[in-house]
Amino acid sequence: MCKEKILIFGVGVAGRALYRELNSTHNIIGFIDNNKRLDGTKYNNKKIHSLDKLPLLSFDKIAITGIWVNSMKNQLQSLNIKDSKIMEIADNAINFSTQSRTKETDNIMKNISQIFTDNKIDYYIIGSSLATLFRNKDLSSVADVDLFLTSQKDAISFYDFITTSPLFKEYDIEKVLYLEDEILVKKGDIKKIIISSKSIKAQEEPSIIDISIADFLDEKYMVRHGVNYIYIPKNLCEGLRYHKYKDLELQIPFLAEDYLCLLYGKNWIIPPKKWDQSDYGNLLSPVEVQKLKESLGAR
């Protein structure tokens, strides 16, 4: 085992997966995280420290991975952490999947698909989850399964169905609301619905289905991504198309390959070793969305 003292930046999905990847071969002494509320708590008996405590800690390297690596690097450099102390792990070296997680993820997707089909609700698998389908990998191999609904009406109906259906009584269901009026939404609108398995173990990641509710502007579906927006041109979704995944038929954008090319570039079929959230080809800032909305209103 490597004797260097390693801190992991982030105790979210990517950080926990990185812990499981490195724990048997490296000396993991704890985590650092931007969430100050986690300071002093533990994950699998490893202490979590808020980022502002970093100058007080003794360590050799800080391990980072995931789509926020550039932001992490910037934060560490602002604290005078040398690049030689930053240990960046390629995204495609991290595996979120286990046999039981694969089974649980597939079960949730089966139940979700049944609700959508029975109630005639359109949805679309998107992002890394869609790329995973085309790469013939298990959906459990990504941090969470991303999909979106096209209207608040469908979101309300879907939430009502799953919170009363016996199929979902074993899962945690979270409805995330907008807390204030924003460019395209009103306070109280549904931002996303998150469905996850209840059993959380240090050696295994829970299955998570992340359902975003898209807004619509200028013939584009707009899905919130952090503080920014990822857009999906409406014409790429028009028409029904299903992708065969094991014993399921999952709905995907009709021109899915064009969408993935827009998102990741022409070589989207090959998983990148490094991917930052700012690398998406269909990313819009709030300022850009506001200007677009104003320009449409002026026509």
Side-chain angles (χ1 to χ4, degrees):
M1 175 181 287
C2 176
K3 293 183 179 180
E4 288 183 317
K5 294 183 290 185
I6 307 295
L7 284 169
I8 293 176
F9 194 156
V11 73
V13 175
R16 296 192 299 265
L18 184 55
Y19 168 81
R20 291 190 296 274
E21 190 73 26
L22 299 179
N23 189 46
S24 62
T25 55
H26 292 73
N27 179 24
I28 309 299
I29 62 170
F31 295 82
I32 54 172
D33 199 279
N34 282 310
N35 187 347
K36 292 185 177 182
R37 291 177 296 179
L38 296 177
D39 185 51
T41 62
K42 292 183 177 181
Y43 173 75
N44 203 32
N45 292 320
K46 302 295 183 180
K47 194 169 182 179
I48 303 169
H49 309 271
S50 60
L51 183 61
D52 58 359
K53 300 284 182 65
L54 185 58
L56 305 176
L57 303 178
S58 174
F59 63 93
D60 294 307
K61 289 187 177 180
I62 299 174
I64 62 175
T65 195
I67 64 173
W68 303 101
V69 288
N70 286 345
S71 174
M72 291 176 178
K73 278 186 176 180
N74 290 337
Q75 291 179 75
L76 294 175
Q77 289 166 351
S78 72
L79 294 171
N80 298 316
I81 302 300
K82 296 180 180 179
D83 287 346
S84 60
K85 284 202 165 192
I86 301 175
M87 178 181 174
E88 185 174 345
I89 308 298
D91 289 3
N92 60 6
I94 303 301
N95 185 14
F96 297 96
S97 186
T98 62
Q99 185 175 0
S100 58
R101 188 176 194 255
T102 296
K103 181 179 179 180
E104 190 67 75
T105 300
D106 292 349
N107 282 339
I108 299 177
M109 287 305 300
K110 180 179 180 180
N111 292 336
I112 286 177
S113 298
Q114 189 66 52
I115 294 290
F116 286 142
T117 300
D118 290 348
N119 297 283
K120 296 180 173 58
I121 296 175
D122 283 333
Y123 70 97
Y124 299 96
I125 305 287
I126 56 171
S128 60
S129 303
L130 180 61
T132 296
L133 290 178
F134 277 89
R135 293 167 184 160
N136 295 315
K137 302 291 185 181
D138 285 324
L139 284 174
S140 60
S141 64
V142 291
D144 51 28
V145 180
D146 295 316
L147 55 93
F148 81 90
L149 303 180
T150 60
S151 71
Q152 287 288 322
K153 179 181 177 181
D154 283 348
I156 293 170
S157 297
F158 176 69
Y159 182 77
D160 288 342
F161 289 134
I162 62 175
T163 51
T164 56
S165 170
L167 294 174
F168 291 86
K169 65 180 181 180
E170 299 300 322
Y171 305 131
D172 286 327
I173 301 172
E174 180 184 5
K175 179 171 63 174
V176 181
L177 303 178
Y178 287 97
L179 300 180
E180 57 186 20
D181 291 349
E182 296 191 12
I183 301 170
L184 302 176
V185 298
K186 296 179 180 179
K187 178 181 178 181
D189 281 350
I190 301 175
K191 184 177 184 180
K192 60 174 56 186
I193 298 169
I194 302 171
I195 304 171
S196 57
S197 55
K198 289 185 177 181
S199 58
I200 301 177
K201 302 176 183 178
Q203 301 306 318
E204 185 168 298
E205 199 63 33
S207 298
I208 301 173
I209 315 300
D210 191 335
I211 305 169
S212 296
I213 318 306
D215 306 303
F216 193 71
L217 181 69
D218 192 32
E219 296 301 309
K220 299 178 181 69
Y221 293 113
M222 299 283 190
V223 176
R224 285 299 296 269
H225 181 72
V227 298
N228 295 312
Y229 295 81
I230 284 179
Y231 69 87
I232 303 99
K234 181 183 177 183
N235 69 296
L236 299 186
C237 296
E238 291 179 326
L240 292 177
R241 181 178 176 185
Y242 294 91
H243 185 92
K244 179 71 173 178
Y245 174 70
K246 301 180 181 179
D247 61 342
L248 301 177
E249 296 283 343
L250 300 178
Q251 191 168 326
I252 64 174
F254 189 72
L255 299 177
E257 294 88 347
D258 291 347
Y259 159 72
L260 288 169
C261 188
L262 173 65
L263 188 65
Y264 293 115
K266 62 181 181 180
N267 294 322
W268 60 266
I269 196 65
I270 302 172
K273 291 184 178 181
K274 178 182 177 182
W275 188 263
D276 185 76
Q277 60 89 24
S278 62
D279 293 331
Y280 291 117
N282 56 342
L283 199 67
L284 293 175
S285 70
V287 172
E288 290 173 313
V289 173
Q290 181 65 49
K291 287 182 178 179
L292 179 59
K293 181 181 178 181
E294 291 173 355
S295 69
L296 293 172
R299 291 179 185 176

